[in-house]
């Protein structure tokens, strides 16, 4: 059994220590907002926060997060009222929507570190997350809107 805190709740997980955090979240805890994209840490669809730092859940083994605080898209403060979630809707960011939870989690970490980022800082911070639909300009606009409204 491995103890960790997920979205503010202490949980015990009965899984092999090398099980990817992504599968622990999705299959053991039923938190399906975090998506499987590539399984190689190259797309960012699985981005979560581990102790406040963005991490690729597909590459992070369970034993590496034992005792850590993990935040998923379901655990962002404010539920649907989170400034990023509102901005995502207002700027009509999602097309297929598959990468969006990872995009929002990466953006949340950026705004936590830098509440008023410039466009080039947003582009650099978001460069680890891919969007097959190509909504990058909308993503930047949504982050700028969330920064203004937060």
């Amino acid at each position: 059994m491995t103890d960790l805190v997920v979205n503010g709740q202490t949980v015990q997980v009965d899984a092999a220590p090398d099980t990817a955090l992504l599968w622990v979240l999705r299959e053991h805890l039923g938190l399906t907002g975090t998506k499987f994209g590539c399984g190689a840490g190259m797309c960012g669809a699985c981005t979560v926060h581990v102790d406040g730092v963005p991490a690729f859940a597909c590459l992070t083994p369970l034993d590496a997060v034992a005792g850590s605080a993990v935040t998923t898209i379901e655990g962002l403060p404010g539920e649907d009222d989170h400034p990023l979630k509102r901005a995502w809707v207002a700027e009509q960011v999602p097309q297929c929507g598959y990468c969006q939870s990872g995009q929002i989690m990466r953006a949340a970490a950026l705004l936590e570190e830098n509440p008023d980022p410039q466009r080039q800082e947003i582009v650099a911070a978001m460069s680890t997350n891919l969007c097959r639909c190509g909504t990058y300009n909308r993503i930047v606009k949504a982050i700028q809107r969330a920064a203004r409204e937060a």
Side-chain angles (χ1 to χ4, degrees):
M1 297 293 272
T2 302
D3 292 334
L4 59 152
V5 177
V6 178
N7 298 333
Q9 304 262 349
T10 301
V11 296
Q12 285 191 327
V13 178
D14 186 13
D18 63 346
T19 303
L21 177 60
L22 173 65
W23 303 122
V24 169
L25 295 170
R26 291 183 59 81
E27 296 178 358
H28 294 263
L29 301 177
L31 298 170
T32 57
T34 304
K35 305 299 184 198
F36 173 80
C38 66
M42 298 181 71
C43 75
C46 68
T47 302
V48 297
H49 298 171
V50 176
D51 293 329
V53 178
F56 297 125
C58 72
L59 296 180
T60 305
L62 177 59
D63 63 351
V65 295
S68 295
V70 176
T71 305
T72 69
I73 189 74
E74 295 93 343
L76 276 186
E79 305 261 335
D80 291 334
D81 195 39
H82 190 279
L84 279 165
K85 292 179 183 179
R86 287 193 319 267
W88 242 246
V89 171
E91 295 297 334
Q92 299 178 354
V93 174
Q95 284 186 16
C96 81
Y98 198 80
C99 71
Q100 298 309 307
S101 61
Q103 298 278 1
I104 290 171
M105 294 305 290
R106 178 74 54 182
L110 166 64
L111 292 179
E112 185 67 31
E113 182 179 310
N114 181 356
D116 188 24
Q118 299 299 308
R119 179 180 176 78
Q120 65 272 18
E121 293 170 313
I122 295 170
V123 170
M126 299 302 293
S127 68
T128 59
N129 290 59
L130 301 179
C131 174
R132 289 183 177 200
C133 299
T135 64
Y136 296 110
N137 287 330
R138 293 180 194 173
I139 289 168
V140 170
K141 287 180 184 178
I143 294 169
Q144 290 170 327
R145 177 186 286 255
R148 285 191 310 270
E149 295 178 1

